[in-house]
Amino acid sequence: MTKRIKERRIRMSVYDGLNAANEHMLEVAKACAAAAAKAPTLTGQLDLRMEILTDDDLEPIIQVLETLGKTSAFQLHDASAFRTYKNKGILPPILLMGADLTKPPMWHCGGCGFSDCGEYLKYVSKNKGVGIGAYGPSCLWKVIDFGIACDHACACAAQHRAEARILFSVGAVSLFLNHLEGCSFILGLPIGPVGQFRWFDRMPWTKVLSYDQRMMVQMAGAPNLFMAFSGGGKPIIKTKPRWWEEPTFMKVEPDEEFIKAEAKGQAEVYEKIMKLAGVLDEDEED
């Protein structure tokens, strides 16, 4: 008697390649966190802390970036990208990495400018303040260690062929929204979405500003990259291909209108942060 052996076909689901790749970015973010934790620091005392934020957990950060973007093209860059990716359903996970960089290893090296770590700590205990997005002053050794850890996370993303770019803006906003409690400095690393140079070309920005506006932002943000010889005392900015014809000169002057707009924008940002952090009720007015 012959036995018939029936071959059982195992049916596999068909996945959309791009969707599957974007879903995989969360696993890449986990790998990046592992790489950062394994980074060979100099002091061995970094005490790195990390979180991975996804989906709706990113909305408060996006809202603050959008508020900052009213007066700063730097934050507008990031806000427009995140909002576009969320609207398209491809919002990437973000790996937050932070540490308390104000705690020295007690090596008394003097690199911070103080005679020893004790004098440094005395100063920090009375003068620990916030700059534009971090608390300080910081121990140089801890800054180096933190940079090493973040570098390893970025390298891991590159090894996985994932779109990524370390962002100061996301880290600063996360710090003010009480992520990674106890850290004096945080950086954010978006992992994805799948594409080509998404965090460098910033194509969503083209939908927010016109070409002329983008060019002005680039020239104002990095005038040295557009400057002709400045030794004559009236530096020319290369605003067009034939820039030497009807040249445009750089002028340094006060801007009271912008100062007022920036102060108003900062007040809006602080109010937004306090509401999102639960310090201020949503319907509470100034």
Side-chain angles (χ1 to χ4, degrees), residues 57-220:
D57 290 329
L58 293 171
E59 180 60 26
I61 294 175
I62 298 173
Q63 288 187 23
V64 175
L65 287 173
E66 288 174 332
T67 306
L68 285 165
K70 294 179 180 180
T71 55
S72 172
F74 170 54
Q75 280 85 8
L76 180 62
H77 243 146
D78 299 334
S80 61
F82 281 115
R83 181 59 69 194
T84 297
Y85 298 150
K86 181 171 184 178
N87 291 340
K88 290 184 176 181
I90 54 174
L91 189 62
I94 292 181
L95 171 62
L96 296 181
M97 295 172 283
D100 186 353
L101 306 184
T102 66
K103 293 182 178 179
M106 305 305 291
W107 289 350
H108 310 297
C109 70
C112 59
F114 292 90
S115 59
D116 55 45
C117 292
E119 291 300 314
Y120 163 78
L121 287 171
K122 287 180 183 178
Y123 180 85
V124 171
S125 65
K126 298 179 180 179
N127 299 279
K128 185 177 180 180
V130 62
I132 61 173
Y135 291 96
S138 301
C139 169
L140 296 179
W141 293 107
K142 289 297 187 68
V143 171
I144 294 172
D145 279 354
F146 186 61
I148 292 172
C150 292
D151 284 347
H152 274 65
C154 293
C156 181
Q159 288 176 333
H160 283 82
R161 305 298 186 264
E163 291 288 299
R165 182 177 184 177
I166 201 84
L167 297 178
F168 167 81
S169 61
V170 169
V173 172
S174 300
L175 182 70
F176 297 143
L177 290 175
N178 298 323
H179 287 279
L180 299 181
E181 185 177 354
C183 293
S184 66
F185 189 49
I186 300 175
L187 289 176
L189 181 65
I191 310 295
V194 174
Q196 290 289 335
F197 308 115
R198 287 189 182 272
W199 295 105
F200 292 87
D201 289 348
R202 305 293 182 96
M203 294 308 294
W205 204 34
T206 63
K207 307 298 182 182
V208 179
L209 299 177
S210 68
Y211 173 81
D212 290 338
Q213 288 174 320
R214 297 197 305 275
M215 283 300 298
M216 182 55 66
V217 167
Q218 294 290 351
M219 286 186 287

